[in-house]
Amino acid sequence: MQARLLLENGTLFTGLAFGAEGESTGEVVFNTGITGYQEVLSDPSYCGQIITMTSPLIGNYGITRDDFESVAPFIHGFVVRRHEPTPSNWRAEYSIDDLLKEHGIVGISEIDTRMLTRMIRSHGTMRGLLTTSSASVAELQERLTGSEILRDQVARTSTKYTYSSPGSKERIVLVDFGAKSGILRELTARGCDVVVVPQDTTAEQISRLHPDGILLSNGPGDPKDVPQAVKTVSELLGKYPMFGICLGHQLFALACGADTEKLKFGHRGGNHPVKELSSNRCYITSQNHGYTVNQESIRNTDLEVTHINNNDKSIEGLRHSSYPAFSVQYHPEAAPGPQDSSYLFDEFLQMIADHKIKCPAKPRQAELAAAVKGALQNA
């Protein structure tokens, strides 16, 4: 079956369809990862986007239950140079074609993804329409022009209910703005008592859970589309140790008075070099974002830049000069991908331990348990 991808600049790509039949629109982006297509497909931060993989062969090792980063994909389309329909791997349980069909996602292969990537790098991120229909190009252009621009990606991907992953150590409230499963895995592996709350949970509701620390998760879209989250972060700042990842990093910056802006074509892939300013060391990181914290807006805030991107010098890490709070733009929980940055979870827990020494007064354990039980019952 034929599939077509129409960009808003009028460029039309024609290739072979795989996955589901149908039609969808979204922001066309590219990911430079060589492996990890299943984790890319299931990353909630890609909600509403049509993903182009720059690696030329996708699907060769199949899909397995254990490698998902969310229960279901939120992407609006998948673009590859070559789709391998018959995976060869002892872990494979089914194919990428099966996965896309199951979730109603259209895929297109046998197009020049190098040309498409160079076009995005040159012109910037564009909206596109991916279809298996036989409609005329004029009809497709009309549909693309009139298509909806998503502004509610965070609400779509966040959990709707509070839930817990019990542990014996620090209580971490994970605010889910579209969180990857890897974040929860990293926290539970360290014995943390994790309570995951929806993206619209208020500061007061979070305080009732008596957290030792708060983690602001990754998520899709423009951070300015969730102003209630900025308000919540600003109200919690200074009261509890805080760690922000990706969208959480941007929300942390906005809550501190900085500003964010859209990148020309974003950072997406598992091979992005980031320099830690304190040590002058370079880390290879996994990234997925289309927005960044504006450099100039940091000047009149209490934020300090801790990491920068070696490619375009954009901000990759921030720390508050007075409060126990820091953030990074990249993904320290990445899997598969570089594990260089997983130490940041240990730094977060050390920050919590240091804060406990300075502020030792804590509620009794019975009060903590009652607070979590009440939140779960209300959910």
Side-chain angles (χ1 to χ4, degrees):
M1 181 186 297
Q2 186 183 85
R4 290 177 292 169
L5 172 65
L6 176 66
L7 302 182
E8 62 181 326
N9 70 351
T11 304
L12 179 68
F13 293 87
T14 301
L16 298 179
F18 68 103
E21 296 181 35
E23 184 171 294
S24 61
T25 59
E27 188 178 50
V28 183
V29 301
F30 65 87
N31 184 291
T32 57
I34 298 174
T35 62
Y37 55 78
Q38 181 177 343
E39 288 81 356
V40 170
L41 283 166
S42 59
D43 181 351
S45 295
Y46 282 108
C47 177
Q49 295 180 328
I50 297 172
I51 307 170
T52 303
M53 299 299 294
T54 61
S55 182
L57 175 61
I58 299 296
N60 54 318
Y61 57 82
I63 301 293
T64 180
R65 181 196 67 178
D66 297 334
D67 292 344
F68 283 99
E69 286 295 331
S70 64
V71 174
F74 292 94
I75 67 169
H76 278 198
F78 200 48
V79 183
V80 303
R81 175 67 184 90
R82 178 187 170 192
H83 156 242
E84 175 51 61
T86 308
S88 176
N89 186 281
W90 67 272
R91 296 179 69 239
E93 297 171 4
Y94 52 103
S95 71
I96 195 169
D97 183 60
D98 296 330
L99 175 67
L100 297 188
K101 279 187 170 73
E102 179 183 353
H103 295 284
I105 299 168
V106 181
I108 183 173
S109 65
E110 300 301 326
I111 71 166
D112 190 342
T113 51
R114 178 177 293 183
M115 174 185 171
L116 176 55
T117 300
R118 288 171 66 91
M119 190 175 294
I120 295 172
R121 283 181 58 88
S122 176
H123 297 281
T125 300
M126 291 177 281
R127 287 176 55 72
L129 181 147
L130 181 57
T131 184
T132 59
S133 77
S134 58
S136 68
V137 174
E139 289 177 304
L140 297 181
Q141 288 176 329
E142 185 177 351
R143 292 176 193 172
L144 177 58
T145 302
S147 63
E148 174 191 10
I149 297 177
L150 295 184
R151 297 292 183 189
D152 63 344
Q153 296 101 312
V154 169
R156 292 183 182 216
T157 56
S158 173
T159 179
K160 302 300 185 290
Y161 307 101
T162 297
Y163 64 94
S164 66
S165 179
S168 60
K169 296 183 179 179
E170 294 84 356
R171 168 159 296 155
I172 308 298
V173 169
L174 172 57
V175 187
D176 180 4
F177 299 112
K180 291 169 62 181
S181 298
I183 296 177
L184 187 58
R185 286 196 299 266
E186 291 288 346
L187 293 173
T188 55
R190 290 165 171 79
C192 295
D193 181 23
V194 186
V195 181
V196 184
V197 300
Q199 52 90 21
D200 56 355
T201 306
T202 66
E204 182 181 1
Q205 291 170 327
I206 291 175
S207 294
R208 288 177 189 161
L209 297 171
H210 302 289
D212 294 310
I214 297 171
L215 199 153
L216 311 173
S217 86
N218 65 290
D222 186 344
K224 293 178 182 176
D225 287 339
V226 280
Q228 80 282 355
V230 177
K231 180 176 182 291
T232 297
V233 174
S234 65
E235 291 174 353
L236 293 170
L237 195 60
K239 297 180 181 179
Y240 308 98
M242 187 177 292
F243 177 24
I245 295 174
C246 200
L247 181 67
H249 158 83
Q250 297 162 10
L251 295 172
F252 169 59
L254 290 172
C256 293
D259 195 13
T260 56
E261 59 189 5
K262 190 168 186 177
L263 291 164
K264 185 176 181 180
F265 49 81
H267 300 156
R268 298 176 179 90
N271 51 2
H272 292 261
V274 168
K275 183 167 74 173
E276 183 181 57
L277 298 181
S278 62
S279 64
N280 213 34
R281 176 179 175 180
C282 180
Y283 294 89
I284 300 302
T285 68
S286 178
Q287 303 199 9
N288 175 19
H289 60 274
Y291 292 81
T292 186
V293 178
N294 179 275
Q295 292 270 7
E296 292 298 318
S297 70
I298 296 294
R299 293 183 182 275
N300 297 319
T301 69
D302 292 321
L303 296 172
E304 302 170 352
V305 177
T306 58
H307 299 74
I308 61 170
N309 189 294
N310 274 8
N311 290 330
D312 62 9
K313 309 306 177 187
S314 60
I315 293 175
E316 292 283 358
L318 294 169
R319 183 178 295 273
H320 200 283
S321 60
S322 303
Y323 301 140
F326 71 100
S327 64
V328 291
Q329 182 64 82
Y330 50 94
H331 288 267
E333 82 292 345
Q339 301 295 307
D340 301 29
S341 303
S342 61
Y343 74 93
L344 291 170
F345 290 97
D346 298 315
E347 286 197 354
F348 177 45
L349 297 181
Q350 185 59 53
M351 175 186 285
I352 291 173
D354 294 341
H355 182 71
K356 283 183 177 181
I357 294 174
K358 296 178 181 178
C359 308
K362 287 290 177 183
R364 294 188 300 274
Q365 192 64 31
E367 294 175 339
L368 295 174
V372 173
K373 182 179 179 180
L376 295 173
Q377 289 175 342
N378 291 334

